Amino acid sequence: MNTRVSLGVVILFLGVICLAMPLSISTAAQSQSSPAVGFDTAKTTVTQGDVATLGIQMRDTDEVTLTIQAPNQQYQTTLRAYDNNGDGSVTVRANTFYPTDVDKSNRFTATGGDSVRLISESGLSEGAVLDTGRYNLIVSTDETSVAAVLMITEPSQPNGTNVIVPPDTSYKNIETGLKKELELSEVGATDTTDVDSPNVARGDEFWTRLPITGIGGLLTSPAPASNLVFPVNSTPGAETTHIADISSNETVSFTSVSINYQSNHARSHAATQQVTQSDIEVLGIDTNKNGYIDRSLKGSIQSIQTGTDGRLAISLDRPVEISTHSTLRVAYDIENPEVTGSQDVSITLQNGDISHRHAGIVTYGLAGQGTLGHGINLQLTSEESESPTDPLASVHTVYNDSVPGLAVGVDTTTLEPGEYTVTLEVDESAPNSVPRASLRQSFTVSEPTAELTNHTISNSTRLSVTASTNLAPNSSAIIRITADEKDGGISQVLNCVATVDSDSRIGCDFDLSHPADEFNIDVAIKRDGVVIAGPTKIN
């Protein structure tokens, strides 16, 4: 009798242990040929307004059902995930924000060639965000299911950081630098004006991490400023400026530029019929894609033609050529239509019978408000001259979970020396879940320079040269010495590739054929073939 009781207790105890053990893939009571499913982690945490990444594992099946459900049943979505590449896993990205003028099914995507389909969703309206708190995750097939947890947390205010890197640095290294440079976090919290203005050598890249989170879901849509036509103010019915950028993969000659707003109704496209020649603010060519007009064409305007059909045509008095790496930019004052969402627009460059057509979109309403959309306006401005007509031409943005905040990079290669400011404004039109912010980070662009700080001239054949420089750490420069023997005999030219260290120093050791004090020695330092220091006589 006692033996039976003890055995029952043991069996019960083992059963409790088995139920308590977390399983990454459901295998209990399954044969090897039965489907099995699971999650990469038992708990996934995401910031409210960002995109959650949900890793799903599966065996002996290529499709599963994924359910996301609030414990109070106020929100529920059902998805069908498909393992199209047969690797036994699907990574689903679920947007916790429902952007306006976006198909709700586009908020759920899969990576790596897999796919996901929205079956149903309830409890979240357009323009809203999922509440913070716990959500149940269930992945299932007809035979089995496994549960996990999704936690949505409030947006935080991380420290801002800056880093300066050589051109073509991988973002992985940039990300590492942003994490390490916490001492450069003068960007601070919201409504802050920076006090730190790093000096950047022209040609290097300046990266700053702006302290704002909870906007990842908004940034899944293309930035309005990258559209073919961008309204500075996208409010329906507003009188504003439209900016159109046209780039080509070949050299194009044209005598007219035609902008065509396409709509089914005459009153639902921009009021082109009201545009006059005095409304043309900018017409010119940006030869190096830095956002500035290098060659104005306003003086070449011969006439403009407009109509109620959404067409605006600008004729020039002579043919103009735009090269492969240039951008034609047109900015003009116009009235927005009383509509929201994206509309088709095209721009045609014409020269006689030859035409080049570019198709794209223009976005009105909240989705198109600000350069990044939904009331978020990111710009690069100049403190000493006119700001670029394309505010994001030299700017790159990265938003991900590994570095909290919005990483903004500026390529300074084509910028003139001077002080610039990266600004981010979140205005009142933004969704309530996004913290209002006014962020600034200044930086100064200077010509690359170097200055000799030490050299040893002795009766040794070893010559050591060091210099300080404003080039970014890990940049490369060439230190070149020209050594002419004082009696007119031997002449030597030696080059050394030096890497800038964390203290902004470079140095090289040279081996001469004779003692250094027997030569007249000049030192020059080059970057990308351009002399940035010297030649300087050192003896």
Side-chain angles (χ1 to χ4, degrees), residues 28 72 91 150 157 165 330:
N72 60 8
T91 299
L150 171 65
Q157 293 182 356
V165 299
V330 189

Side-chain angles (χ1 to χ4, degrees), residues 389-404:
T389 52
D390 182 347
L392 300 184
S394 300
V395 174
H396 309 280
T397 59
V398 178
Y399 185 90
N400 57 34
D401 296 334
S402 58
V403 182

Side-chain angles (χ1 to χ4, degrees), residues 253-515:
S253 178
F254 62 96
T255 56
S256 69
V257 182
S258 297
I259 303 170
N260 296 274
Y261 294 88
Q262 299 162 30
S263 175
N264 295 328
H265 304 285
R267 294 184 179 180
S268 61
H269 53 62
T272 52
Q273 72 277 7
Q274 300 177 7
V275 178
T276 65
Q277 186 166 332
S278 62
D279 293 322
I280 308 297
E281 295 184 3
V282 174
L283 177 63
I285 296 175
D286 178 355
T287 58
N288 51 20
K289 296 187 176 182
N290 65 352
Y292 288 91
I293 295 299
D294 302 296
R295 180 185 174 194
S296 177
L297 303 177
K298 284 187 65 175
S300 301
I301 297 178
Q302 185 176 64
S303 63
I304 70 170
Q305 297 84 40
T306 64
T308 59
D309 59 352
R311 181 173 177 269
L312 166 63
I314 303 172
S315 297
L316 306 179
D317 58 11
R318 55 187 171 81
V320 173
E321 189 173 88
I322 175 174
S323 63
T324 303
H325 301 292
S326 299
T327 297
L328 174 67
R329 185 167 300 119
V330 189
Y332 46 94
D333 296 333
I334 197 170
E335 181 180 324
N336 291 338
E338 293 286 352
V339 298
T340 61
S342 296
Q343 289 189 342
D344 292 333
V345 63
S346 65
I347 300 177
T348 302
L349 305 181
Q350 188 87 28
N351 187 4
D353 296 332
I354 301 176
S355 63
H356 297 266
R357 183 177 181 272
H358 302 259
I361 62 173
V362 56
T363 303
Y364 303 108
L366 180 57
Q369 192 65 34
T371 55
L372 301 184
H374 292 86
I376 303 175
N377 195 40
L378 175 69
Q379 297 207 22
L380 174 67
T381 59
S382 172
E383 300 299 315
E384 301 173 0
S385 60
E386 290 187 4
S387 296
T389 52
D390 182 347
L392 300 184
S394 300
V395 174
H396 309 280
T397 59
V398 178
Y399 185 90
N400 57 34
D401 296 334
S402 58
V403 182
L406 177 65
V408 180
V410 181
D411 181 0
T412 67
T413 303
T414 57
L415 296 181
E416 292 297 323
E419 186 174 357
Y420 297 84
T421 302
V422 175
T423 64
L424 181 74
E425 301 283 343
V426 181
D427 63 29
E428 293 304 316
S429 65
N432 293 331
S433 63
V434 180
R436 298 316 185 246
S438 180
L439 306 174
R440 294 168 55 87
Q441 177 58 60
S442 298
F443 63 98
T444 301
V445 176
S446 304
E447 293 292 355
T449 60
E451 182 179 358
L452 293 179
T453 56
N454 183 47
H455 55 272
T456 56
I457 301 295
S458 65
N459 59 0
S460 170
T461 59
R462 173 63 60 91
L463 173 65
S464 296
V465 176
T466 61
S468 61
T469 179
N470 64 348
L471 299 180
N474 297 314
S475 296
S476 295
I478 294 177
I479 301 178
R480 178 188 180 97
I481 69 166
T482 302
D484 296 318
E485 202 168 17
K486 293 178 179 179
D487 60 8
I490 297 173
S491 179
Q492 289 182 265
V493 177
L494 301 175
N495 294 298
C496 170
V497 178
T499 301
V500 181
D501 65 17
S502 59
D503 294 322
S504 300
R505 295 178 303 186
I506 53 176
C508 283
D509 292 329
F510 297 91
D511 290 319
L512 302 173
S513 60
H514 290 78

Side-chain angles (χ1 to χ4, degrees), residues 50-79:
D50 284 351
V51 179
T53 300
L54 308 174
I56 300 172
Q57 302 294 324
M58 60 186 73
R59 190 186 68 214
D60 296 328
T61 183
D62 58 5
E63 59 181 87
V64 295
T65 298
L66 173 63
T67 302
I68 306 173
Q69 184 182 71
N72 60 8
Q73 308 297 314
Q74 294 298 309
Y75 174 81
Q76 178 170 314
T77 185
T78 302
L79 307 166

Side-chain angles (χ1 to χ4, degrees), residues 20 179 491 521:
K179 290 178 179 178
S491 179
I521 299 175

